[in-house]
Amino acid sequence: MDEEPERAKRWEGGYERTWEVLKEDESGSLKATVEEILFQSKRRRVIESHEQVRLGMMRHLYVVIDCSRSMDDQDLKPNRLTSSLKLLEAFVGEYFDQNPISQVGIITTKNKRAEKLTDLSGNPKKHIDALKKAVDSVCAGEPSLYNSLNLAVQSLKHMPGHTSREILIILSSLTTCDPANIYELIKTLKSLKVRVSVIGLSAEVRVCTVLTRETGGLYHVILDESHFKELLMMHVKPPPFDLETPSTTPFLETQICLSLGGYFCPQCHAKYTELPVECKVCGLTLVSAPHLARSFHHLFPLQAFTENSVEEHQGDRFCQACQGELKDKTIFTCTSCQSVFCMECDLFIHDSLHCCPCCIHSQIGP
Amino acid sequence: MKLNIEGLLVYFPYDYIYPEQYSYMLELKRTLDAKGHGVLEMPSGTGKTISLLSLIVAYQRAFPLEVTKLIYCSRTVPEIEKVVEELRKLMEFYSKQTRESNNFLALALSSRRNLCIHPEILHANIVVYSYHYLLDPKIADLVSKELAKKSVVVFDEAHNIDNVCIDSMSVNITRRTLDHCQNNVDTLHNTIHKIKETDAAKLKEEYRRLVEGLKEANVARETDVYLSNPVLPDEILQEAVPGTIRTAEHFVGFLRRFLEYLKSRLRVQHVIQESAPQFLKDIYDKVCIDRKPLRFCAERLQSLLRTLEITDIADFSAATLISNFATLVSTYSQGFTIIIEPFEDRTPTIANPVLHFSCMDPSIAIKPVFQRFQSVIITSGTLSPLDIYPRILDFHPVTMASFTMTLARTCLCPLIVGRGNDQVALSSKFETREDFAVIRNYGNLLMEMSAIVPDGIVAFFTSYVYMENIVASWYEQGILENIQRNKLIFIETQDAAETSMALEKYQEACENGRGAILLSVARGKVSEGIDFVHHFGRAVIMFGVPYVYTQSRILKARLEYLRDQFQIRENDFLTFDAMRHAAQCVGRAIRGKTDYGLMIFADKRYARADKRGKLPRWIQEHITDGSLNLTVDEAVQLSKHFLRQMAQPFRQEDQLGLSLLTLEQLESEEMLQKIAQVAHQT
């Protein structure tokens, strides 16, 4: 299919026994069901993400990249490190697109140490440059989960309480070399409300399961590169955010004056060349109006489309968005304009467009 | 939920049930209906215990006259505790559902301290204890002999039951035993002397009783009050104790003579093997001890100990052992062999003579159990091939069934690795045991696996010696160093304290993400009693086929006996024994349906049909033709894929309807048909 250019070539994959998929689903088990389960979880995610109301729109996210020996493994092409960095570049772009008032920092870990590649900042270019440079680094030794988390926490704990604090770990290794008991650190993370998510590149590791469960994050293990991308993009959406005590600090100050080649802080008139940024002088968070507008849609998410089987559908068997034939077993109907979409378009509308094209069309049209 | 199993109302304390639990209960009910014995195999982690308990308790309530008591035998204390826990849950459920107070009494005997329980045991509806209370004649006599005939006996984890039977009937006598016994005899002599001065009437009373004969015991047996003791043969109950050992002094003298004779027999330079009749002839020729008084020895000693009112019976264990030996050797002309070894095989220079009086026929110990109780259920996760157990235990089951796990996802992945990457055949067989290439490839396999398997790996070797050799060789080749980059290494030793320490640290390393490998030995402590759930055992690697040490004389004698008496070929038995241990080892990794694990058989011999066919059905059905003779690389690829698949989210809803059923689902026509179909295959 054309929609999957990212997928590795057949001969590059592992030993696949495609014939077995067909053979085994007689008893209702095995791989076919695993695929089914995957499909279900894809759907569930779309539905779930619309049940949240409170979202941490101001996000502070540290991405930890494992650069240990196991990143040399060539099961992702050309190797795990290059592939991951490339996907992360796309991730950073997408992240700032969807969360314009958020910040990202990057940490790498190898040789039992953790180092900051970039500090928390809202400038995508800086991160992407750093990621590009990191491709040439050597993968060696073991990663240290403890050191990376600790390093991230040192910066995150100073972030204001009304923003969300997150860590996303790309972990390839199955072992970690820690200087102290990691379970103590997990307790600290929990008390600081830092949400840790992990994407595993090889298999499920117990300590990550506990870590993510305790801190309320997500834990996934990739199947192949396209699945990796999918999992990564899941973290683009703001996570549910638990505001136990409504923050007393003013949320945002948006009065920004644009002047030649820079922005002035409305409070102290310090000048900044780029936004968003936290004012170094008065500590105010500075964003521009378009930034705010673009984060706005998270607060008014598009209603989930209802799922029906294709048999029940009367009328044309064409997707209203892509005009393609409805081949899948299930179709999706917009609740307000009753237009019908295919699975792919449904995902696209909810993940990227954030509004139903047919609804917009009817609003504008005669 | 409340189930209807062929008309029987069963209270099941959970909201969901596995389809195989339902079939299991069905088979169990049929066994009870037929008042016969059964052999049932069901994988661990599928809720065997609760199925057994809930069905039998329901049966007891429905037919209180048919089944009066459940005797549940398990192997270890933790297992017994688990049973009690499940039982408690069931009882709570009962009282909640029926809203009436519980009149069920259950009793668990977990340690030998609690031996004094006679009055309660008679009234308890359920008794949970260790095998030994029923099988070991020394303990069974104290604990179990008053159990009612209409009881149901369950042996859980019974894959080793033949060995338990044999151990309970075998006697090993060393010089130390004889020295202890000598002390015992001296004590007896002194006590008799003392009593004679103070209370001679007591001894006279005993003498009178012995003349009367053991009528009491005989009456008891005829009226079917007691479980018969295999040490106490039928004939002696009808006779009086022979005159030569009737008085206390004479008996002590008799014991002295017997002891002296045994001592002389232990003074040997070469190995002697003889049958019981040969031994009896020799003892008659040398010290003029007849067969008859020997047979009464055990009973006579008990009587004497009672008369002398000796409270601390444990002190007399050596004397009891010797007298039991005397009775056994003179009672059974078949099924036993006597082997006297002047030294151990490993240390041929140190004199350490041992007299093995070894039982070769497990059916002797278990016979009274089968004869007495109307239903005996033998069950375990690994009982394959099923038909061998009735043969070696000499009974006729009415049901034999093996159940598999119904799975919503294939959570076990058995792989047979037969070749290294350089195409060298991998095998632990004797000829290639020292082969450098094989050892290197084994090391390579472990190293590759340590890089791709998360958390814990358990590796089993065939013996301690083999493990030591291999590990030493790996160290020299630098393989250990490479492995340690991925995971820590822990080793099981023969020292129990050391091993439990290693286990503890192993679990800690699995828990906090460092990852660990436990090197252990099939038939060792780790392979039998310890479960490696979830991350504690993501992969089990079985290096070689765990054949028992075939040079042992006891084993040779046993094999010969099996061939002559039961027509079981040596090779069949050895393979069966090896495969049940291999299955036990690899079965450690999967302890339930949400668990998953790799099972790697690293020996090309596993691919042969005669080996593979002896694995339990629930493992066998996942071995595809494609995973029969893999190289290390291929195994690594498959494992990687498997582990990634298994790491995908797996929820209870995914299982529902397939491998986990609600009551409605269970009662649907379609599901009942499916279950009937599965049962039909067995």
Side-chain angles (χ1 to χ4, degrees):
Chain A
M1 282 212 293
D2 288 346
E3 286 90 338
E4 294 183 328
E6 244 78 39
R7 203 183 183 103
K9 299 279 184 290
R10 278 262 170 241
W11 58 87
E12 288 178 342
Y15 293 98
E16 271 184 64
R17 300 172 184 277
T18 43
W19 58 91
E20 282 177 2
V21 181
L22 299 169
K23 212 161 68 182
E24 305 283 359
D25 55 358
E26 184 63 29
S27 64
S29 62
L30 285 184
K31 247 189 217 158
T33 35
V34 174
E35 310 258 292
E36 177 69 24
I37 289 166
L38 278 180
F39 173 78
Q40 288 297 339
S41 70
K42 206 169 171 184
R43 279 299 307 155
R44 193 171 294 125
R45 207 176 64 234
V46 174
I47 296 163
E48 266 172 14
S49 60
H50 291 283
E51 282 161 4
Q52 323 292 347
V53 184
R54 289 203 159 155
L55 301 168
M57 283 202 302
M58 282 184 73
R59 303 170 65 187
H60 293 104
L61 172 70
Y62 259 112
V63 180
V64 178
I65 308 168
D66 179 0
C67 285
S68 66
R69 192 159 31 93
S70 62
M71 280 304 257
D72 273 333
D73 201 316
Q74 296 182 347
D75 56 358
L76 300 175
K77 300 299 166 190
N79 64 17
R80 283 184 183 178
L81 182 71
T82 319
S83 171
S84 310
L85 291 176
K86 205 158 196 172
L87 287 175
L88 275 175
E89 274 176 40
F91 170 77
V92 170
E94 188 73 9
Y95 176 86
F96 283 111
D97 198 42
Q98 302 267 334
N99 310 281
I101 50 173
S102 301
Q103 300 190 12
V104 161
I106 300 172
I107 290 172
T108 59
T109 171
K110 62 179 166 188
N111 281 331
K112 306 172 183 120
R113 289 193 177 80
E115 275 170 30
K116 251 184 210 161
L117 199 65
T118 57
D119 271 316
L120 274 181
S121 92
N123 184 353
K125 198 165 165 294
K126 208 168 99 191
H127 300 301
I128 290 175
D129 284 347
L131 287 172
K132 276 192 174 134
K133 240 181 261 168
V135 172
D136 300 326
S137 63
V138 188
C139 302
E142 295 95 12
S144 173
L145 216 49
Y146 186 94
N147 288 340
S148 333
L149 288 172
N150 203 24
L151 187 64
V153 157
Q154 294 311 324
S155 317
L156 284 179
K157 72 178 173 197
H158 300 300
M159 293 302 145
H162 59 273
T163 64
S164 90
R165 305 158 175 172
E166 298 166 56
I167 300 173
L168 171 65
I169 304 173
I170 312 288
L171 193 68
S172 155
S173 172
L174 295 172
T175 177
T176 156
C177 192
D178 297 337
N181 187 358
I182 192 154
Y183 287 89
E184 294 296 319
L185 186 63
I186 292 177
K187 266 184 218 152
T188 320
L189 287 167
K190 203 176 167 187
S191 65
L192 286 172
K193 291 204 168 54
V194 179
R195 185 177 187 265
V196 186
S197 297
V198 180
I199 295 179
L201 300 191
S202 24
E204 182 192 352
V205 181
R206 173 68 180 181
V207 70
C208 297
T209 317
V210 177
L211 174 66
T212 50
R213 193 182 59 210
E214 290 296 308
T215 59
L218 300 169
Y219 184 28
H220 291 285
V221 174
I222 65 160
L223 287 173
D224 51 28
E225 198 163 328
S226 59
H227 189 225
F228 187 11
K229 187 173 178 191
E230 200 178 290
L231 292 176
L232 209 51
M233 289 312 163
M234 258 165 75
H235 292 277
V236 166
K237 270 217 166 72
F241 187 55
D242 179 26
L243 276 175
E244 274 173 7
T245 49
S247 136
T248 49
T249 52
F251 187 60
L252 284 176
E253 191 66 46
T254 56
Q255 282 276 300
I256 303 289
C257 311
L258 176 64
S259 78
L260 193 63
Y263 306 86
F264 289 109
C265 171
Q267 197 160 284
C268 62
H269 297 284
K271 186 176 173 182
Y272 294 95
T273 52
E274 57 175 50
L275 291 179
V277 74
E278 195 171 296
C279 180
K280 289 269 189 315
V281 182
C282 60
L284 205 61
T285 311
L286 305 176
V287 294
S288 68
H291 281 148
L292 260 189
R294 276 198 285 142
S295 347
F296 209 54
H297 69 77
H298 292 304
L299 289 180
F300 301 100
L302 183 59
Q303 282 293 309
F305 292 172
T306 48
E307 192 176 338
N308 301 100
S309 93
V310 77
E311 274 87 36
E312 289 168 25
H313 175 59
Q314 326 250 309
D316 295 339
R317 300 215 161 169
F318 288 100
C319 167
Q320 292 286 344
C322 64
Q323 300 298 313
E325 201 183 333
L326 295 169
K327 287 182 204 142
D328 293 339
K329 261 185 255 165
T330 48
I331 55 165
F332 300 89
T333 318
C334 171
T335 44
S336 58
C337 70
Q338 308 301 328
S339 305
V340 180
F341 301 97
C342 65
M343 165 96 185
E344 296 291 325
C345 290
D346 174 57
L347 285 176
F348 174 72
I349 289 167
H350 281 94
D351 287 349
S352 311
L353 225 49
H354 304 295
C355 56
C356 168
C358 294
C359 291
I360 302 287
H361 183 74
S362 60
Q363 275 168 19
I364 303 165
Chain B
M1 63 169 101
K2 290 180 204 169
L3 301 167
N4 177 6
I5 299 204
E6 289 190 343
L8 179 71
L9 177 69
V10 175
Y11 285 81
F12 191 76
Y14 296 96
D15 292 339
Y16 302 103
I17 185 169
Y18 296 140
E20 56 270 30
Q21 285 182 313
Y22 182 78
S23 339
Y24 188 89
M25 289 198 248
L26 220 57
E27 287 295 328
L28 197 59
K29 162 134 196 310
R30 286 177 193 155
T31 318
L32 296 185
D33 281 342
K35 295 195 173 34
H37 311 313
V39 181
L40 301 171
E41 176 182 73
M42 185 155 92
S44 43
T46 49
K48 232 179 351 234
T49 310
I50 191 63
S51 317
L52 268 168
L53 289 175
S54 43
L55 187 102
I56 296 177
V57 168
Y59 206 93
Q60 263 179 292
R61 291 175 73 105
F63 311 103
L65 296 175
E66 302 287 314
V67 172
T68 52
K69 205 182 286 267
L70 163 65
I71 305 167
Y72 195 106
C73 304
S74 201
R75 228 175 19 177
T76 57
V77 175
E79 271 162 12
I80 290 171
E81 277 163 7
K82 228 164 67 191
V83 174
V84 172
E85 200 47 51
E86 292 279 9
L87 195 58
R88 200 163 281 147
K89 234 178 244 166
L90 181 65
M91 288 305 150
E92 262 165 36
F93 187 71
Y94 260 104
S95 50
K96 215 198 267 170
Q97 290 291 318
T98 55
R99 292 182 196 289
E100 55 188 59
S101 65
N102 215 318
N103 50 2
F104 252 66
L105 180 64
L107 186 79
L109 307 179
S110 50
S111 73
R112 290 190 188 198
R113 277 174 313 200
N114 316 341
L115 266 181
C116 187
I117 32 65
H118 262 265
E120 295 112 283
I121 206 174
L122 286 173
H123 305 297
N125 300 81
I126 301 169
V127 184
V128 185
Y129 54 35
S130 153
Y131 283 9
H132 299 281
Y133 289 121
L134 205 52
L135 291 179
D136 195 327
K138 291 149 241 159
I139 315 172
D141 222 26
L142 288 168
V143 183
S144 310
K145 69 177 181 183
E146 290 176 20
L147 294 174
K149 189 169 165 48
K150 285 180 176 169
S151 306
V152 175
V153 179
V154 175
F155 289 103
D156 199 359
E157 304 291 333
H159 46 271
N160 260 343
I161 193 164
D162 53 324
N163 290 338
V164 177
C165 293
I166 281 177
D167 287 347
S168 71
M169 295 294 281
S170 298
V171 180
N172 291 332
I173 298 171
T174 59
R175 278 224 178 109
R176 275 188 60 179
T177 330
L178 292 181
D179 291 343
H180 275 293
C181 189
Q182 186 75 57
N183 291 341
N184 289 165
V185 171
D186 290 343
T187 326
L188 278 181
H189 181 77
N190 295 339
T191 327
I192 290 168
H193 214 73
K194 236 182 271 166
I195 282 204
K196 221 171 175 186
E197 284 164 7
T198 55
D199 194 2
K202 209 185 236 171
L203 287 172
K204 267 196 198 123
E205 163 65 21
E206 188 203 18
Y207 184 84
R208 196 194 53 74
R209 220 176 44 230
L210 294 175
V211 175
E212 292 271 303
L214 299 163
K215 267 186 196 149
E216 239 172 89
N218 194 26
V219 167
R221 187 170 290 189
E222 272 172 0
T223 52
D224 197 49
V225 181
Y226 293 154
L227 170 74
S228 62
N229 182 346
V231 178
L232 200 65
D234 273 336
E235 302 94 78
I236 71 164
L237 294 176
Q238 280 137 30
E239 296 171 37
V241 173
T244 42
I245 57 170
R246 221 174 276 166
T247 65
E249 290 102 329
H250 288 172
F251 179 60
V252 169
F254 170 85
L255 273 184
R256 283 231 166 95
R257 230 171 341 139
F258 186 56
L259 263 179
E260 282 312 314
Y261 171 73
L262 287 179
K263 274 187 193 161
S264 75
R265 289 304 302 264
L266 279 183
R267 260 175 251 126
V268 285
Q269 296 304 318
H270 57 275
V271 178
I272 293 170
Q273 179 173 358
E274 59 187 21
S275 66
Q278 275 172 318
F279 181 84
L280 289 178
K281 185 172 182 316
D282 192 62
I283 198 171
Y284 184 72
D285 290 346
K286 292 236 173 79
V287 286
C288 293
I289 289 183
D290 207 0
R291 182 161 167 238
K292 203 170 169 197
L294 273 180
R295 289 173 69 179
F296 286 89
C297 203
E299 196 56 29
R300 183 67 189 87
L301 181 70
Q302 290 309 318
S303 159
L304 184 62
L305 289 178
R306 265 191 307 253
T307 313
L308 299 182
E309 287 168 355
I310 288 168
T311 46
D312 205 358
I313 300 177
D315 274 352
F316 283 84
S317 62
T320 317
L321 190 79
I322 299 286
S323 63
N324 275 346
F325 165 65
T327 306
L328 283 171
V329 78
S330 50
T331 307
Y332 295 97
S333 56
Q334 275 207 327
F336 288 87
T337 189
I338 296 164
I339 295 169
I340 307 172
E341 287 178 322
F343 44 74
E344 276 182 54
D345 273 353
R346 285 207 196 104
T347 51
T349 45
I350 304 164
N352 180 23
V354 187
L355 184 147
H356 299 282
F357 177 67
S358 127
C359 173
M360 297 184 295
D361 189 350
S363 65
I364 292 175
I366 206 169
K367 198 176 222 157
V369 177
F370 280 121
Q371 276 174 351
R372 177 162 176 82
F373 300 112
Q374 63 178 21
S375 284
V376 178
I377 314 288
I378 290 186
T379 186
S380 171
T382 52
L383 276 179
S384 292
L386 290 177
D387 56 327
I388 203 158
Y389 285 90
R391 274 164 81 191
I392 56 178
L393 297 179
D394 195 23
F395 72 104
H396 299 285
V398 291
T399 43
M400 278 206 278
S402 168
F403 303 95
T404 61
M405 268 201 264
T406 46
L407 295 169
R409 57 168 192 178
T410 6
C411 68
L412 65 165
C413 178
L415 302 172
I416 297 174
V417 182
R419 294 166 291 149
N421 288 336
D422 47 7
Q423 303 301 323
V424 171
L426 292 182
S427 179
S428 69
K429 67 178 174 204
F430 191 70
E431 297 85 59
T432 61
R433 188 160 285 192
E434 306 287 313
D435 192 338
F436 215 59
V438 172
I439 294 179
R440 190 189 60 230
N441 273 314
Y442 272 158
N444 198 22
L445 173 66
L446 188 61
M447 192 172 76
E448 296 274 352
M449 283 298 158
S450 72
I452 60 154
V453 177
D455 302 325
I457 300 179
V458 190
F460 287 101
F461 294 85
T462 52
S463 68
Y464 283 106
V465 186
Y466 188 48
M467 175 166 80
E468 278 160 24
N469 287 344
I470 283 198
V471 172
S473 179
W474 283 349
Y475 176 74
E476 282 163 20
Q477 296 175 31
I479 294 176
L480 276 194
E481 201 185 338
N482 282 332
I483 294 175
Q484 269 175 324
R485 269 194 223 156
N486 299 322
K487 292 195 189 305
L488 303 180
I489 299 177
F490 297 93
I491 299 183
E492 181 192 4
T493 63
Q494 270 150 318
D495 183 341
E498 242 172 36
T499 303
S500 59
M501 178 79 159
L503 255 173
E504 198 181 296
K505 292 288 161 197
Y506 167 81
Q507 288 176 340
E508 200 183 316
C510 293
E511 197 69 57
N512 60 28
R514 181 67 182 90
I517 297 177
L518 184 67
L519 304 179
S520 45
V521 171
R523 296 161 196 280
K525 182 188 168 210
V526 170
S527 74
E528 280 288 335
I530 291 155
D531 292 347
F532 295 96
V533 281
H534 295 288
H535 56 291
F536 294 129
R538 282 298 180 215
V540 176
I541 307 177
M542 185 75 235
F543 290 110
V545 184
Y547 279 114
V548 64
Y549 174 62
T550 47
Q551 298 306 305
S552 141
R553 287 179 194 86
I554 299 173
L555 180 73
K556 277 184 180 161
R558 188 173 169 205
L559 288 175
E560 222 164 81
Y561 185 81
L562 283 173
R563 192 189 56 210
D564 296 345
Q565 296 295 317
F566 297 109
Q567 286 77 49
I568 298 171
R569 281 184 301 155
E570 282 111 328
N571 231 337
D572 281 350
F573 182 78
L574 285 175
T575 313
F576 150 75
D577 186 61
M579 293 314 285
R580 73 171 160 184
H581 279 102
Q584 266 300 306
C585 292
V586 296
R588 299 285 106 199
I590 309 276
R591 303 320 279 183
K593 294 194 175 185
T594 53
D595 203 353
Y596 64 87
L598 286 159
M599 301 173 165
I600 297 170
F601 298 92
D603 195 309
K604 73 166 202 267
R605 289 176 290 173
Y606 282 110
R608 285 196 218 143
D610 69 314
K611 306 274 186 309
R612 198 158 35 106
K614 288 191 170 73
L615 284 172
R617 224 183 87 193
W618 58 275
I619 297 181
Q620 231 182 95
E621 68 179 4
H622 293 290
I623 304 183
T624 55
D625 287 341
S627 55
L628 277 188
N629 190 15
L630 303 169
T631 65
V632 172
D633 264 353
E634 285 166 338
V636 166
Q637 285 298 339
L638 284 173
S639 312
K640 256 184 171 176
H641 185 70
F642 171 77
L643 289 168
R644 278 196 178 147
Q645 291 275 340
M646 286 302 119
Q648 301 310 313
F650 184 64
R651 293 182 196 80
Q652 198 189 35
E653 300 96 82
D654 302 327
Q655 281 197 51
L656 265 181
L658 273 179
S659 55
L660 193 67
L661 306 173
T662 60
L663 187 59
E664 294 87 65
Q665 281 168 329
L666 181 69
E667 279 169 352
S668 73
E669 202 58 35
E670 188 191 352
M671 188 50 72
L672 288 176
Q673 259 176 20
K674 219 188 222 169
I675 290 171
Q677 235 172 26
V678 172
H680 195 69
Q681 287 167 10
T682 55

